[in-house]
Amino acid sequence: MNIILLAISAAFVNNVVLSQFMGICPFLGVSKKISTAAGMGGAVIFVMTIASAVTSLIYKFVLVPFELDYLNTIVFILVIAALVQFVEMFLKKSVPSLYEALGVYLPLITTNCAVLGIALSNVQKNYNILESVVNGMFSAVGFAVAIIILAGIREKLEHSDIPESFKGAPSVLIAAGLMAMAFTGFSGLI
């Protein structure tokens, strides 16, 4: 039951983008089309899930026993960078259209503070390996849900008659703010 509560909390109540405000750069940058937003969401789900597992294992079985836990941020960044390189090579070979659509935002997953933030949060909250993986996966699912919803709103706004001063970034920021307010409604679930 605790795992289910953790999953719901990570995805909706403590949404990494809309509640914790991490990962804003790809959230705003890749949310122009639903297809690219879904691709970015999938890549983040893969990277954040695997990064949570690997960083948890490294922290518990390497850094803590050798009293090197002060190096966790540097080690976690290296693990995340390696995973992103793997995803980038895979997409370039398997799905070149998605690779081109994601452009510069794919390597930005390396510096996406959401991925590093969740890995560090797992350690700070003393989650075991299963809890770390669940928290990482469902935080990424929450990121994917948020970016896909914003992409749908942005596609709809492209064809809407809105005042000139609200076109572009202002309407996107207003939509993101309204989404953040809406997601606070999930706080009553847990």
Side-chain angles (χ1 to χ4, degrees), residues 6-7 19 25 38 44 47 65 67 77 86 95 131 133 137 140 152 163 165-166 168 172 176 187-188:
L6 178 63
S19 294
C25 180
V44 169
V47 169
E67 297 180 3
I77 289 171
F86 173 74
V95 192
E131 290 170 332
V133 171
M137 181 190 324
S165 60
F166 284 104
V172 173
S187 62

PDB file of all heavy atoms in Angstrom, residues 6-7 19 25 38 44 47 65 67 77 86 95 131 133 137 140 152 163 165-166 168 172 176 187-188:
ATOM      1  N   LEU A   6       3.116   6.096  -2.609  1.00  0.00           N
ATOM      2  CA  LEU A   6       4.325   6.765  -3.102  1.00  0.00           C
ATOM      3  C   LEU A   6       4.199   7.073  -4.586  1.00  0.00           C
ATOM      4  O   LEU A   6       4.561   8.168  -5.039  1.00  0.00           O
ATOM      5  CB  LEU A   6       5.562   5.900  -2.837  1.00  0.00           C
ATOM      6  CG  LEU A   6       6.897   6.441  -3.332  1.00  0.00           C
ATOM      7  CD1 LEU A   6       7.252   7.749  -2.630  1.00  0.00           C
ATOM      8  CD2 LEU A   6       7.988   5.410  -3.124  1.00  0.00           C
ATOM      9  N   ALA A   7       3.668   6.130  -5.361  1.00  0.00           N
ATOM     10  CA  ALA A   7       3.508   6.321  -6.806  1.00  0.00           C
ATOM     11  C   ALA A   7       2.532   7.460  -7.098  1.00  0.00           C
ATOM     12  O   ALA A   7       2.821   8.346  -7.916  1.00  0.00           O
ATOM     13  CB  ALA A   7       3.022   5.025  -7.460  1.00  0.00           C
ATOM     14  N   SER A  19       4.713  21.058  -9.023  1.00  0.00           N
ATOM     15  CA  SER A  19       4.750  21.302  -7.582  1.00  0.00           C
ATOM     16  C   SER A  19       6.151  21.640  -7.091  1.00  0.00           C
ATOM     17  O   SER A  19       6.328  22.483  -6.231  1.00  0.00           O
ATOM     18  CB  SER A  19       4.246  20.081  -6.810  1.00  0.00           C
ATOM     19  OG  SER A  19       2.892  19.863  -7.066  1.00  0.00           O
ATOM     20  N   CYS A  25      12.865  23.781 -18.035  1.00  0.00           N
ATOM     21  CA  CYS A  25      13.424  24.061 -19.374  1.00  0.00           C
ATOM     22  C   CYS A  25      12.854  23.120 -20.440  1.00  0.00           C
ATOM     23  O   CYS A  25      12.293  23.583 -21.429  1.00  0.00           O
ATOM     24  CB  CYS A  25      14.946  23.996 -19.334  1.00  0.00           C
ATOM     25  SG  CYS A  25      15.732  24.320 -20.913  1.00  0.00           S
ATOM     26  N   ALA A  38       5.503  13.745 -25.981  1.00  0.00           N
ATOM     27  CA  ALA A  38       5.401  12.333 -25.587  1.00  0.00           C
ATOM     28  C   ALA A  38       6.759  11.645 -25.710  1.00  0.00           C
ATOM     29  O   ALA A  38       7.127  10.829 -24.854  1.00  0.00           O
ATOM     30  CB  ALA A  38       4.358  11.624 -26.443  1.00  0.00           C
ATOM     31  N   VAL A  44      12.439  10.697 -20.592  1.00  0.00           N
ATOM     32  CA  VAL A  44      12.625  11.054 -19.180  1.00  0.00           C
ATOM     33  C   VAL A  44      12.184   9.906 -18.279  1.00  0.00           C
ATOM     34  O   VAL A  44      12.840   9.624 -17.268  1.00  0.00           O
ATOM     35  CB  VAL A  44      11.892  12.370 -18.834  1.00  0.00           C
ATOM     36  CG1 VAL A  44      11.849  12.610 -17.338  1.00  0.00           C
ATOM     37  CG2 VAL A  44      12.558  13.544 -19.527  1.00  0.00           C
ATOM     38  N   VAL A  47      15.088   7.362 -18.459  1.00  0.00           N
ATOM     39  CA  VAL A  47      16.302   7.834 -17.790  1.00  0.00           C
ATOM     40  C   VAL A  47      16.091   7.960 -16.283  1.00  0.00           C
ATOM     41  O   VAL A  47      16.930   7.519 -15.489  1.00  0.00           O
ATOM     42  CB  VAL A  47      16.784   9.175 -18.398  1.00  0.00           C
ATOM     43  CG1 VAL A  47      17.878   9.799 -17.557  1.00  0.00           C
ATOM     44  CG2 VAL A  47      17.261   8.975 -19.816  1.00  0.00           C
ATOM     45  N   PRO A  65      29.284   2.505   2.158  1.00  0.00           N
ATOM     46  CA  PRO A  65      30.264   1.624   2.813  1.00  0.00           C
ATOM     47  C   PRO A  65      31.700   2.185   2.819  1.00  0.00           C
ATOM     48  O   PRO A  65      32.447   1.949   3.757  1.00  0.00           O
ATOM     49  CB  PRO A  65      30.200   0.332   2.000  1.00  0.00           C
ATOM     50  CG  PRO A  65      28.870   0.344   1.356  1.00  0.00           C
ATOM     51  CD  PRO A  65      28.549   1.782   1.113  1.00  0.00           C
ATOM     52  N   GLU A  67      32.378   5.360   2.856  1.00  0.00           N
ATOM     53  CA  GLU A  67      32.264   6.702   3.422  1.00  0.00           C
ATOM     54  C   GLU A  67      32.571   7.794   2.392  1.00  0.00           C
ATOM     55  O   GLU A  67      33.247   8.774   2.666  1.00  0.00           O
ATOM     56  CB  GLU A  67      33.157   6.844   4.659  1.00  0.00           C
ATOM     57  CG  GLU A  67      32.740   5.921   5.782  1.00  0.00           C
ATOM     58  CD  GLU A  67      33.611   6.033   7.009  1.00  0.00           C
ATOM     59  OE1 GLU A  67      34.528   6.878   7.037  1.00  0.00           O
ATOM     60  OE2 GLU A  67      33.363   5.255   7.944  1.00  0.00           O
ATOM     61  N   ILE A  77      25.506  12.676 -11.271  1.00  0.00           N
ATOM     62  CA  ILE A  77      25.571  13.390 -12.552  1.00  0.00           C
ATOM     63  C   ILE A  77      26.241  12.525 -13.611  1.00  0.00           C
ATOM     64  O   ILE A  77      25.785  12.466 -14.762  1.00  0.00           O
ATOM     65  CB  ILE A  77      26.288  14.745 -12.391  1.00  0.00           C
ATOM     66  CG1 ILE A  77      25.402  15.715 -11.609  1.00  0.00           C
ATOM     67  CG2 ILE A  77      26.657  15.341 -13.749  1.00  0.00           C
ATOM     68  CD1 ILE A  77      26.090  17.008 -11.210  1.00  0.00           C
ATOM     69  N   PHE A  86      23.219   6.888 -23.720  1.00  0.00           N
ATOM     70  CA  PHE A  86      22.636   5.646 -24.206  1.00  0.00           C
ATOM     71  C   PHE A  86      21.308   5.902 -24.911  1.00  0.00           C
ATOM     72  O   PHE A  86      21.062   5.402 -26.007  1.00  0.00           O
ATOM     73  CB  PHE A  86      22.451   4.665 -23.044  1.00  0.00           C
ATOM     74  CG  PHE A  86      21.701   3.427 -23.413  1.00  0.00           C
ATOM     75  CD1 PHE A  86      22.297   2.434 -24.183  1.00  0.00           C
ATOM     76  CD2 PHE A  86      20.385   3.246 -23.026  1.00  0.00           C
ATOM     77  CE1 PHE A  86      21.598   1.300 -24.547  1.00  0.00           C
ATOM     78  CE2 PHE A  86      19.675   2.122 -23.375  1.00  0.00           C
ATOM     79  CZ  PHE A  86      20.284   1.132 -24.142  1.00  0.00           C
ATOM     80  N   VAL A  95      14.851   5.712 -33.886  1.00  0.00           N
ATOM     81  CA  VAL A  95      13.772   6.648 -34.196  1.00  0.00           C
ATOM     82  C   VAL A  95      14.385   7.998 -34.568  1.00  0.00           C
ATOM     83  O   VAL A  95      14.324   8.959 -33.800  1.00  0.00           O
ATOM     84  CB  VAL A  95      12.802   6.812 -32.990  1.00  0.00           C
ATOM     85  CG1 VAL A  95      11.540   7.536 -33.412  1.00  0.00           C
ATOM     86  CG2 VAL A  95      12.474   5.490 -32.347  1.00  0.00           C
ATOM     87  N   GLU A 131      11.610   1.535  -3.450  1.00  0.00           N
ATOM     88  CA  GLU A 131      10.974   2.841  -3.286  1.00  0.00           C
ATOM     89  C   GLU A 131      11.630   3.893  -4.187  1.00  0.00           C
ATOM     90  O   GLU A 131      10.944   4.747  -4.744  1.00  0.00           O
ATOM     91  CB  GLU A 131      11.054   3.291  -1.818  1.00  0.00           C
ATOM     92  CG  GLU A 131      10.176   2.478  -0.889  1.00  0.00           C
ATOM     93  CD  GLU A 131      10.454   2.766   0.577  1.00  0.00           C
ATOM     94  OE1 GLU A 131      11.592   3.151   0.927  1.00  0.00           O
ATOM     95  OE2 GLU A 131       9.511   2.601   1.380  1.00  0.00           O
ATOM     96  N   VAL A 133      13.093   3.349  -7.104  1.00  0.00           N
ATOM     97  CA  VAL A 133      12.668   3.093  -8.481  1.00  0.00           C
ATOM     98  C   VAL A 133      11.237   3.565  -8.699  1.00  0.00           C
ATOM     99  O   VAL A 133      10.930   4.222  -9.699  1.00  0.00           O
ATOM    100  CB  VAL A 133      12.819   1.596  -8.841  1.00  0.00           C
ATOM    101  CG1 VAL A 133      12.177   1.279 -10.177  1.00  0.00           C
ATOM    102  CG2 VAL A 133      14.287   1.201  -8.846  1.00  0.00           C
ATOM    103  N   MET A 137      10.278   6.452 -11.254  1.00  0.00           N
ATOM    104  CA  MET A 137       9.410   6.160 -12.390  1.00  0.00           C
ATOM    105  C   MET A 137       8.160   7.030 -12.374  1.00  0.00           C
ATOM    106  O   MET A 137       7.796   7.623 -13.393  1.00  0.00           O
ATOM    107  CB  MET A 137       8.997   4.683 -12.396  1.00  0.00           C
ATOM    108  CG  MET A 137       8.102   4.337 -13.572  1.00  0.00           C
ATOM    109  SD  MET A 137       7.315   2.707 -13.561  1.00  0.00           S
ATOM    110  CE  MET A 137       8.485   1.631 -12.845  1.00  0.00           C
ATOM    111  N   ALA A 140       8.712  10.661 -13.083  1.00  0.00           N
ATOM    112  CA  ALA A 140       8.862  10.837 -14.527  1.00  0.00           C
ATOM    113  C   ALA A 140       7.519  10.726 -15.239  1.00  0.00           C
ATOM    114  O   ALA A 140       7.264  11.446 -16.215  1.00  0.00           O
ATOM    115  CB  ALA A 140       9.846   9.807 -15.081  1.00  0.00           C
ATOM    116  N   GLY A 152      -0.772  19.726 -25.500  1.00  0.00           N
ATOM    117  CA  GLY A 152      -2.139  19.772 -26.024  1.00  0.00           C
ATOM    118  C   GLY A 152      -2.730  21.164 -25.930  1.00  0.00           C
ATOM    119  O   GLY A 152      -3.391  21.638 -26.864  1.00  0.00           O
ATOM    120  N   PRO A 163      -5.557  37.613 -27.874  1.00  0.00           N
ATOM    121  CA  PRO A 163      -4.916  38.905 -28.120  1.00  0.00           C
ATOM    122  C   PRO A 163      -3.428  38.745 -28.452  1.00  0.00           C
ATOM    123  O   PRO A 163      -2.757  37.844 -27.940  1.00  0.00           O
ATOM    124  CB  PRO A 163      -5.090  39.645 -26.789  1.00  0.00           C
ATOM    125  CG  PRO A 163      -6.246  38.984 -26.128  1.00  0.00           C
ATOM    126  CD  PRO A 163      -6.226  37.563 -26.575  1.00  0.00           C
ATOM    127  N   SER A 165      -0.838  40.344 -27.578  1.00  0.00           N
ATOM    128  CA  SER A 165       0.097  40.447 -26.452  1.00  0.00           C
ATOM    129  C   SER A 165       0.189  39.164 -25.629  1.00  0.00           C
ATOM    130  O   SER A 165       1.137  38.983 -24.870  1.00  0.00           O
ATOM    131  CB  SER A 165      -0.300  41.617 -25.549  1.00  0.00           C
ATOM    132  OG  SER A 165      -1.594  41.420 -25.041  1.00  0.00           O
ATOM    133  N   PHE A 166      -0.773  38.258 -25.781  1.00  0.00           N
ATOM    134  CA  PHE A 166      -0.744  37.005 -25.045  1.00  0.00           C
ATOM    135  C   PHE A 166      -0.221  35.836 -25.869  1.00  0.00           C
ATOM    136  O   PHE A 166      -0.071  34.737 -25.352  1.00  0.00           O
ATOM    137  CB  PHE A 166      -2.137  36.662 -24.502  1.00  0.00           C
ATOM    138  CG  PHE A 166      -2.523  37.475 -23.320  1.00  0.00           C
ATOM    139  CD1 PHE A 166      -3.418  38.513 -23.450  1.00  0.00           C
ATOM    140  CD2 PHE A 166      -1.987  37.211 -22.075  1.00  0.00           C
ATOM    141  CE1 PHE A 166      -3.775  39.273 -22.353  1.00  0.00           C
ATOM    142  CE2 PHE A 166      -2.337  37.960 -20.975  1.00  0.00           C
ATOM    143  CZ  PHE A 166      -3.229  39.009 -21.108  1.00  0.00           C
ATOM    144  N   GLY A 168       2.306  33.332 -27.731  1.00  0.00           N
ATOM    145  CA  GLY A 168       3.659  32.875 -27.433  1.00  0.00           C
ATOM    146  C   GLY A 168       3.870  32.595 -25.952  1.00  0.00           C
ATOM    147  O   GLY A 168       3.041  31.976 -25.291  1.00  0.00           O
ATOM    148  N   VAL A 172       1.710  30.539 -22.738  1.00  0.00           N
ATOM    149  CA  VAL A 172       2.277  29.275 -22.248  1.00  0.00           C
ATOM    150  C   VAL A 172       2.499  29.350 -20.737  1.00  0.00           C
ATOM    151  O   VAL A 172       2.171  28.416 -20.004  1.00  0.00           O
ATOM    152  CB  VAL A 172       3.600  28.949 -22.979  1.00  0.00           C
ATOM    153  CG1 VAL A 172       4.282  27.747 -22.363  1.00  0.00           C
ATOM    154  CG2 VAL A 172       3.337  28.708 -24.455  1.00  0.00           C
ATOM    155  N   ALA A 176       0.724  27.098 -17.906  1.00  0.00           N
ATOM    156  CA  ALA A 176       1.510  26.315 -16.948  1.00  0.00           C
ATOM    157  C   ALA A 176       1.139  26.685 -15.516  1.00  0.00           C
ATOM    158  O   ALA A 176       1.028  25.805 -14.645  1.00  0.00           O
ATOM    159  CB  ALA A 176       3.002  26.539 -17.192  1.00  0.00           C
ATOM    160  N   SER A 187      -3.528  17.349  -3.866  1.00  0.00           N
ATOM    161  CA  SER A 187      -2.911  17.259  -2.540  1.00  0.00           C
ATOM    162  C   SER A 187      -3.844  16.629  -1.510  1.00  0.00           C
ATOM    163  O   SER A 187      -3.392  16.111  -0.496  1.00  0.00           O
ATOM    164  CB  SER A 187      -2.440  18.635  -2.062  1.00  0.00           C
ATOM    165  OG  SER A 187      -3.538  19.510  -1.937  1.00  0.00           O
ATOM    166  N   GLY A 188      -5.130  16.642  -1.758  1.00  0.00           N
ATOM    167  CA  GLY A 188      -6.076  15.995  -0.849  1.00  0.00           C
ATOM    168  C   GLY A 188      -6.118  14.487  -0.966  1.00  0.00           C
ATOM    169  O   GLY A 188      -6.726  13.814  -0.131  1.00  0.00           O
TER     170      GLY A 188
END
